[in-house]
Structures are given as structure tokens and as C-alpha cells.
Amino acid sequence: MIGKDIKPGTYRTEGPQGGLITDCYWARLSSTSGESNDIIASEVTKGRTTVTIDADDKAFTTNGCRTWKKVD
């Protein structure tokens, strides 16, 4: 949850974990209901990526990415 488990701000990852995992997926969410309309923004990348998580976001989910590091 944003504000509790993760602070709003800009985060960067170096990309996919590597090996058999070739994609990095992330999504900013307006709710944790699991509905597709909860997705504010999302992306599948193969390289370094940056995302800004807003204070109004409810959650952030990621799969296959290296560790996200706060850059601001």
C-alpha cells in the first residue's frame, strides 16, 4: 500500500531479473480489488525503467523486475 509499504516518489529498476525472466512488469493501482480498471498506468519493459508513484495511488505491483530503488 502506498504511504504504508512504499512511499510516493520516483523509483528506478535496472530491468528484468535476467536468465529466463526477460520482461519487467509494473503497475500503479487505484485499488487492490484485482479489477483491470484499477490500473492507472502499467508497462512491460526489457531494460532500465523509471516510474513515479503518486501519493493518490493505492498500490504498486511489479513482477520479474530487479530491485526498485527510490531516486528522489
Side-chain angles (χ1 to χ4, degrees):
M1 300 295 286
I2 307 302
K4 182 178 179 182
D5 299 316
I6 187 170
K7 296 181 189 275
T10 301
Y11 291 81
R12 179 176 294 134
T13 181
E14 293 302 315
Q17 293 174 352
L20 297 176
I21 301 173
T22 60
D23 294 327
C24 168
Y25 170 79
W26 63 264
R28 295 173 40 225
L29 305 172
S30 62
S31 171
T32 57
S33 71
E35 300 293 324
S36 62
N37 62 349
D38 292 342
I39 299 172
I40 299 167
S42 67
E43 188 173 23
V44 175
T45 67
K46 294 194 177 293
R48 175 187 281 188
T49 193
T50 302
V51 64
T52 299
I53 299 170
D54 295 332
D56 292 338
D57 295 354
K58 296 298 180 205
F60 177 75
T61 187
T62 184
N63 192 340
C65 304
R66 293 183 186 176
T67 302
W68 289 89
K69 296 180 182 175
K70 196 164 190 296
V71 294
D72 76 348

